[in-house]
Amino acid sequence: MNRRSFLGTVGAAAAAGVLAGCPTGSASSGDYDVGMSARKFRPASIEVPPGTTVVWKNTSKQGHTVTAYEGSLPDGAEFWASGDFDSQSAAENGWTSGAEGNLTQNQTFEHTFEVVGTHEYYCIPHEAAGMRGEVVVSEDATTATDE
């Protein structure tokens, strides 16, 4: 069983047990690793082994971006962002000039992490509200985890 399917199954089972009969709350359907609520990445931190493709899904009605903090990427890691920009400033300019890189409800973005280290990222329109996250790539990681 792959990691996303396992996490989706575990998350759905936990949500069913805890939220039975409750109309609020949701669990991953197994097709993404990080969800985007109105002002948060969920989970905000995920740990994966090198070579893992992480999938973000906008699970809210707000538009969001996924944008690496270029200055804090591990040595050897290339910049990444929704909208396929070459730099953080290009991603920010794209957002400002026309909401480029925007992920609407249920849209996804994915990136494969090869370089070990902490890859910090944020949502351009919601950074001031604290919408930040990190992907920790570790040789010791066996599954995706959250805090």
Side-chain angles (χ1 to χ4, degrees):
M1 175 178 287
N2 74 33
R3 179 176 47 83
R4 261 184 231 110
S5 295
F6 173 76
L7 290 174
T9 302
V10 170
V18 173
L19 299 174
C22 182
T24 60
S26 65
S28 167
S29 64
D31 61 349
Y32 62 94
D33 300 295
V34 180
M36 295 177 237
S37 66
R39 300 285 190 271
K40 293 190 183 289
F41 290 106
R42 297 185 187 263
S45 180
I46 185 170
E47 184 175 358
V48 298
T52 300
T53 299
V54 174
V55 178
W56 288 262
K57 182 175 183 177
N58 185 348
T59 55
S60 77
K61 294 180 181 179
Q62 300 281 326
H64 295 294
T65 70
V66 181
T67 308
Y69 281 112
E70 190 169 20
S72 67
L73 287 171
D75 288 341
E78 293 185 17
F79 177 79
W80 50 273
S82 55
D84 294 324
F85 295 98
D86 293 331
S87 68
Q88 185 175 343
S89 62
E92 291 170 350
N93 290 337
W95 173 262
T96 303
S97 67
E100 293 179 44
N102 184 48
L103 299 172
T104 60
Q105 187 174 24
N106 294 319
Q107 284 188 313
T108 61
F109 168 74
E110 63 182 55
H111 179 74
T112 302
F113 291 87
E114 301 291 348
V115 178
V116 171
T118 300
H119 301 252
E120 297 174 331
Y121 63 92
Y122 69 108
C123 172
I124 294 170
H126 302 116
E127 179 184 26
M131 192 166 181
R132 297 177 188 96
E134 67 180 11
V135 176
V136 179
V137 181
S138 168
E139 297 287 351
D140 298 330
T142 57
T143 61
T145 59
D146 87 68
E147 295 180 14

